Amino acid sequence: MSSAPKLSTVPRREVSLLVIDDNPASVELVSAAVAQSGLEVLTASDPEEGLDLFRKWRPQIVLTDMVMPRLTGMEVLERIMEVDPATDVILMSAHYSTESAVEAVRKGASDYLNKPVSIGPLRERIAGLVEEVRKRQRSLQLEDELRTNSEFEGIVGRSPQMWAMFWRIRRVAPHYRSLLITGETGTGKDLVARALHRLSPVAAGRYVVLNCSAVVETLFESELFGHVKGSFTGAANDKPGLFEYAHGGTLFLDEIGDMPLATQAKLLRVLQSQEVQRVGSLTARKVDVRVVAATNHDLRTAVAEKRFREDLYYRLSMVEVETPRLADRKEDLPLLQRHFVARFAAQYGKAIRGITHRAQIRLSQHSWPGNVRELENVIGHAAMMATTDMVDAQDLPRYLHAPEHAAEQTAAARPAGGTLAEVERAHIIRVLQETGGVVSAAAIRLDVPRTTLNALMRRLRISRDDL
Amino acid sequence: MKKVLVADDKAAGRELIRTVLEQCGHSVFEAGDGAEAVRKAREILPDLILLDLHMPVLDGFAAFQELRGDERFAATPIVALTASAMQGDRELAMSAGFTGYLAKPISLNVLRSEIDRLLEQETADVVRP
């Protein structure tokens, strides 16, 4: 990941307020209420004129009457929400009804007042909103500053867990020969591996990646150690393996838990002797390679079940770096959100400023089983869907619209039935929705290897469009 | 996410509170009268209860007494919903021991901030057995 893209920062400005009311007495009352506050006040006696002023000056607070010629206050609210859903809109009506208050809240109003409005409470109400707007401005600015100070080699975070991890990476990077990164899927193990390489003395050397779950078992050894011509069917030429290719650099073995046992034995020998032997060759070649392995499985269990060699496990885990789950560092959410919003805004060429409070609440309530990768997918989706310069709740993927417990309730209430394939398909789609489309996280939840889940998805014709 | 129980005999009133509180990320349960409120409270053990004072079957005051008599709700914030037209309701509610009151028609902003304040206090001060 490259360094953080620059945010198109919003110019700092004073708080301004717009009053729209066809009754001059009402406009005067509001102006009088805020006279002492140092607020910039804009007034309009006509809704269309008010909307023009809004588009031009973008006040953070709008007070509008409900009943006006040509456009109702509800319509004014709708138009404003289309332009900037972060605006605080207060509706005022002489004909208060709870039903219309519900409609106003649904459409994004922050308050609904009963006319006649008396000056004292109105002053208090506005003062409260202004304080909130100022707080939001301050925190946006702070987040911006923090964001630039909260990156370590492309990894974003400032929670204690992340600081501890950064510290550990800095400490071990100059010295390790082999190292194990553990952590759930989507927690950024690949970024940690890259950081270790960049901070190591061999940073100028090659950084070579092999995903062990993507290699056909029979080709594993040839891939890692190379082969000589004729050593097996199809070996038409001499070929160096990744160890030789990474000589003088770093070899990153992702998903090491998926490496076959026979290959594990040979890997251990290479780590011990610093020598590789191409398949079919009798001579050994010296290699100088740092090995970083990563896994999202509990290797100790794999050792107990004889699926992973104990001696290799101890060799690798002498130095271990653990990547924290997103659920354990939710204080990093705002920072990560800003990071991804900035990135996707740049990627899609959209001027997106941030995420509305409503949407942030939804994000903070999710349990993030797919970790940062899931968040990245979610923000990418939302940034694509956003129609204004703020990401709002309805831009988020559908599975985040309702609180999680509600989703569980509907799932439990769903009647059983259908063919096995239908039930399987529906279940896989639901789990994928819950993991934000992160297949490896879904595979863990479903307790099947990722390759199996991929095959199932192909067979049941599950694609991104189903999520 | 906190559980909030709203008791009001008017569906529109419950709907308004539900809409606002769900936007703030809380889960809202509803009751149409005081007796239902007491029954639901025992079932879901809400973090906060809003009681309209004038309800059929069991009014807000009676429901309040019933709930406070149950030790599980001894420390739960219980807020009265009072009609501002009914002079004196507010005083009655406070002297009966309600944690607070919200005057109808409810100001949405006051509702949001009052609920946040009470729920925060609840997590900070009350240790549940």
Side-chain angles (χ1 to χ4, degrees), chain A residues 5 7 140 143-144 147 156-157 326 329-345 352-366 368 372 374-376 378-380 382-383 391 396 400:
Chain A
L7 266 191
L140 268 185
E143 272 172 26
D144 243 9
R147 208 167 54 90
V156 176
L326 182 53
R329 55 175 188 115
K330 276 199 168 173
E331 63 265 49
D332 282 339
L333 265 177
L335 199 67
L336 287 161
Q337 284 162 13
R338 297 274 292 158
H339 173 81
F340 287 128
V341 163
R343 199 170 89 199
F344 286 111
I352 299 175
R353 284 188 294 142
I355 303 181
T356 64
H357 188 58
R358 275 196 295 273
Q360 287 191 23
I361 287 174
R362 286 274 171 263
L363 295 175
S364 68
Q365 282 175 345
H366 185 54
W368 301 108
V372 180
E374 180 184 2
L375 179 68
E376 183 180 3
V378 164
I379 305 272
V391 167
L396 300 174
L400 284 172

Side-chain angles (χ1 to χ4, degrees), chain A residues 303-321:
Chain A
V303 168
E305 291 169 358
K306 308 269 182 233
R307 284 182 290 116
F308 202 84
R309 288 185 64 105
E310 191 173 10
D311 44 11
L312 178 60
Y313 170 70
Y314 285 117
R315 176 92 200 182
L316 290 172
S317 66
M318 279 191 329
V319 188
E320 189 175 331
V321 173

Side-chain angles (χ1 to χ4, degrees), chain B residues 27-40:
Chain B
S27 58
V28 179
F29 300 83
E30 296 178 27
D33 61 60
E36 193 188 355
V38 173
R39 202 167 56 242
K40 282 234 168 122

Side-chain angles (χ1 to χ4, degrees), chain A residues 246-310:
Chain A
H247 178 68
T250 305
L251 176 59
F252 174 41
L253 301 173
D254 202 0
E255 317 244 14
I256 186 93
D258 291 341
M259 185 179 275
L261 275 167
T263 316
Q264 289 175 25
K266 293 192 177 142
L267 172 63
L268 179 64
R269 244 194 336 271
V270 174
L271 293 178
Q272 282 164 341
S273 65
Q274 304 283 326
E275 283 178 352
V276 285
Q277 230 172 328
R278 292 184 181 178
V279 174
S281 163
L282 295 173
T283 51
R285 296 156 194 261
K286 270 275 170 215
V287 284
D288 177 20
V289 175
R290 286 165 186 249
V291 174
V292 177
T295 179
N296 53 33
H297 299 292
D298 182 5
L299 283 188
R300 265 169 301 228
T301 312
V303 168
E305 291 169 358
K306 308 269 182 233
R307 284 182 290 116
F308 202 84
R309 288 185 64 105
E310 191 173 10

